[in-house]
Amino acid sequence: MLKLQSLIGLPMIDQASGRRAGTIQDIWFDEHWQLAGMITRASRWGRRGMTVLRWRHVAACGEDAVLLHEQALEERLPEGEIVRCFHTGLVRLRNLPVMTLGGLQLGRVSDVYFHQDEGTPIVGYELTDGFISDLREGRRWLRIAAYPDQVTLGEDAILVPARAEQDLEQATSNR
C-alpha cells in the first residue's frame, strides 16, 4: 500500500532511457475518485492548463522515483478538465472533512492510501484533528475499502457510515 503524499515531489524516470521526465507536482483523480494521473506542470503566466501524465504510464512507484513505461507521453489538458486533485484543482482531497452519516466529524484528510496495481482506487485515509492532537495522539487511519458502496466523496465533505467511528477507534488502538 502506498501513501499518496510520498509521490509528490518525486522525479519521474523513463524506464527505457533512464532520462528524467519531470517531477510530480500533484495527483489528479477521475470522477470516480480513482487515480487518473500525475500533474507535472501547472499553469504559468498566460498559459492555461496543466501538463499531465496518465496513471497508465506508470511502471512502478518506488521510494525515490516513479518509473514510467517507454511510451509515456505528457498531455496538456485545460484546467477545467482537472477537477479533483490532492492539493490543487476545484475539489481538493487534502483537508476535506470526513463525516459520519450521523453528523460526527472524524477528522480531515491528511493523506491517502492506495494500491498501485489494483486499478488505483483509494483504500483509506489518514486523518488529522490538528497539529496538537497529532502530536499527542497521532494520526488515525480509516480503511474505506471496508465500505465499498457506502462512501460519498463530495466537493465539501466525505461521508462514511456511522460505524466508521468504531472502526477508526479500533484502528487507532491496535497500532
Side-chain angles (χ1 to χ4, degrees):
M1 199 165 4
L2 296 171
K3 288 174 81 171
L4 188 135
Q5 278 201 91
S6 67
L7 299 179
I8 296 173
L10 287 182
M12 298 177 297
I13 307 293
D14 182 292
Q15 196 174 26
S17 68
R19 200 179 110 246
R20 186 183 180 123
T23 303
I24 299 172
Q25 305 276 319
D26 202 353
I27 303 295
W28 146 56
F29 300 92
D30 67 13
E31 67 275 6
H32 304 291
W33 286 98
Q34 293 206 9
L35 276 73
M38 301 161 292
I39 298 171
T40 59
R41 275 178 249 129
S43 298
R44 298 226 173 137
W45 304 89
R47 292 178 58 185
R48 307 284 302 163
M50 296 184 174
T51 305
V52 300
L53 264 165
R54 297 200 184 261
W55 194 259
R56 68 177 175 260
H57 295 299
V58 173
C61 295
E63 288 182 32
D64 301 316
V66 172
L67 296 178
L68 304 174
H69 291 293
E70 192 173 337
Q71 301 298 322
L73 299 172
E74 286 186 322
E75 299 175 54
R76 187 131 185 98
L77 297 178
E79 282 181 13
E81 204 167 314
I82 308 283
V83 176
R84 294 166 192 83
C85 296
F86 188 70
H87 286 293
T88 60
L90 297 173
V91 180
R92 295 175 185 100
L93 188 53
R94 183 164 186 193
N95 289 324
L96 263 182
V98 176
M99 315 249 337
T100 67
L101 292 175
L104 177 68
Q105 183 171 321
L106 300 177
R108 292 184 167 275
V109 174
S110 169
D111 210 340
V112 174
Y113 293 86
F114 69 98
H115 290 292
Q116 174 194 345
D117 302 323
E118 295 182 14
T120 62
I122 296 170
V123 296
Y125 299 113
E126 186 174 81
L127 302 179
T128 180
D129 283 326
F131 181 72
I132 302 296
S133 179
D134 288 351
L135 287 175
R136 280 193 284 154
E137 302 164 19
R139 291 188 176 159
R140 295 166 299 152
W141 149 248
L142 177 64
R143 182 180 298 274
I144 63 163
Y147 323 108
D149 297 323
Q150 301 171 7
V151 175
T152 302
L153 289 115
E155 291 183 20
D156 299 312
I158 298 169
L159 303 174
V160 296
R163 68 187 168 111
E165 179 184 8
Q166 289 89 20
D167 295 345
L168 180 66
E169 290 174 15
Q170 284 179 334
T172 304
S173 63
N174 290 335
R175 277 192 166 175

